Amino acid sequence: MQRLISGWKLIKNEIGYRRTNFILSVISVFIAISALIASIMVLRIHDRHTNQILQNKQEQLQSRMDSLQNETRKAMLELGFNILILPENQDVSDWYTKDYGDTYMPEQYVDKLAGSGLLIVRHFLPILQSRMEWEEKDMEILLIGTRGEVPNLDKPPREPMVDPVPEGTVKLGYQLHQKFNLSQGDAINLKGKKFVVNECYNERGNKDDISAWIHLDEAQQLVHREGVINAIMALECLCQGKVELSELRDKISEVLPGTQVIERGSRALARAEARLKLKKRAEQAIKSEKEHREELREVRENITSALIPVIFIACGIWIAFLGLMNSRARREEIGILRAMGVPVKKILHVFLSKYFIIGILGGIAGFLGGLLSGFIFSRFLEGSFIWIDPGIAFLLWLIVLSIAGAALLSVIAGWIPALTAARQDPAEILHGE
Amino acid sequence: MLIFNNIDKTFQVKQRSVDALKNISLELNDGEFMVVNGPSGCGKTTLLLIAGSLLRPTSGEVSIDGQDPYKMSQTERNQLRSNAIGFVFQQFHLIPYLSVRENILSPALASVNHTGNDRTEQLAEHFGLTERLDHYPRQLSMGEKQRTALARALYNKPRVILADEPTGNLDDDNADIIFSYLKEYTRDGGSVLLVSHDRKAAQYGTRVLKMKKGELVNN
């Protein structure tokens, strides 16, 4: 059997012979690479934890906002219309004092508004409201003509807030049906036209108690105002937040020129504003948390970016020191190899190959140690164990970084000792014996 | 085989010149066993290192097989040492983590073509090391160590053996064995240049030179 000698044999046997020096060198590389990988993992886990925290807060906020939005919507429905659109030349004080208007706008305005694509208002109710003498009963009443809500064509259909009044019927306020002892199904005459009582309202304590609701077309005929209305009632949608009144006016004016918009305060508005404030506060809290986490990351990044080079330099110096000790211990061996004619290049190759092996082993061990210590450090830094799946691509990148970084560190640190060893003057070594 | 022509060697020691060799001229022929005797510090090892193309002389010419090694490139000089010269030292200089077999084979690291294991087995048998081939230097006696070193020196079948106090660490019996092997080598046509302060070495030399303060006194 042919047994040959090779550089690899020298490396392998020498490693076994001076294993303490070798193990200490591998440990140095291990420490450096572990520190590097651990710091990368700590930052990555920090980022993942930050995302988790912010996502949880965002979800909590969203859940709270959804709940509040629902409450606001219910409140709005309970509290009725909060937008009143009147002709531009309608004196608002007259409207309030007389409870009706004496200026008019085309009835088609309500259809125009419903089809305008304006999403901040919904539930459009065209009305013609007029004070009139109920001659048959010798009483002044408020006559309100309406044809029911016009649906917003750009929004999903919702249940109407008020039911339309069928033609030929009338809905009576509390005072009217009480005073004349009227009930559902009774027939009455209004200016000579016959209507059947459709509904009798309970007492509301406002002008509704002396109001009579009939179909818009019939009201227009009774007061001789065909094709016109004097108000559109609507509901401002507060679900997406409060729009400034001026903005609301501008938007409606763009659709309905020659109109004015009056917003009526309501608990729904207050609730919506409270919801907005809560949202702002919560968003501010999320922002603060994000800033805090970013500051924390910056601190950790600064520490690691200062510490890692120090660790690398310290480990490099230690490897170089071990290398110099090793080359000193191998003086005689180098001397005799050179005397036998082994070229400097080959001796350098033997030494550098050994450092490369140190790098590979230290790199692999450092990679595993770094992953593990990254999770352990993060457990203490983050306050709880955070598991992340690094993903194959990231792991591959870490492995390449570990092995390449370790090999580079080891070979650079071992370069001077290797060169020193290879360039030793054999004459000096052999002469010195 | 080996010619020294007016060789001088001066070392600079702390801004002071020390003449290690002064005007040395000698000629070592094939089959010759030359012994250089002299006290410690007289320049024997310097002479040997210059002969081994390891130490450039300050002046003068060296010729090995008709070539001046100090006019060669480093690579050529390495080849020359590998092919033509074998070294034996007092301290053996065996590589501690290689077995006897691997130590004997180690000159093969310097050459592209080597004779492999058969040559190792032959040398081991010749030097009585067959049973020790898989042992490590720390497991050997002094005599075995020097025989291993001698076997290593002969591995590449060199033209000349340069021996520096090869018996310095050996008892008389082992010293006689080593001298006998070297003598045997010269009988096969090889040349030996042996430097020693041991006067017993002179008994084996075909030519004995005395050296004193860097000069050959009876060349």
Side-chain angles (χ1 to χ4, degrees), chain B residues 136-148:
Chain B
Y136 286 85
R138 63 181 179 278
Q139 298 168 307
L140 303 178
S141 69
M142 291 295 192
E144 286 168 333
K145 283 180 185 174
Q146 195 58 296
R147 276 183 277 147
T148 305

Side-chain angles (χ1 to χ4, degrees), chain A residues 48-92:
Chain A
R48 181 62 60 92
H49 195 203
T50 300
N51 285 343
Q52 279 178 3
I53 290 170
L54 296 179
Q55 195 178 338
N56 285 346
K57 285 188 180 290
Q58 198 68 49
E59 281 170 3
Q60 283 170 7
L61 171 65
Q62 192 56 49
S63 164
R64 181 73 185 127
M65 294 312 292
D66 286 347
S67 159
L68 285 173
Q69 184 177 329
N70 201 31
E71 284 174 22
T72 306
R73 194 177 62 78
K74 284 177 185 169
M76 285 191 301
L77 290 172
E78 282 168 12
L79 294 167
F81 300 101
N82 62 351
I83 294 287
L84 187 62
I85 302 166
L86 300 173
E88 193 175 31
N89 52 356
Q90 172 64 53
D91 188 333
V92 179

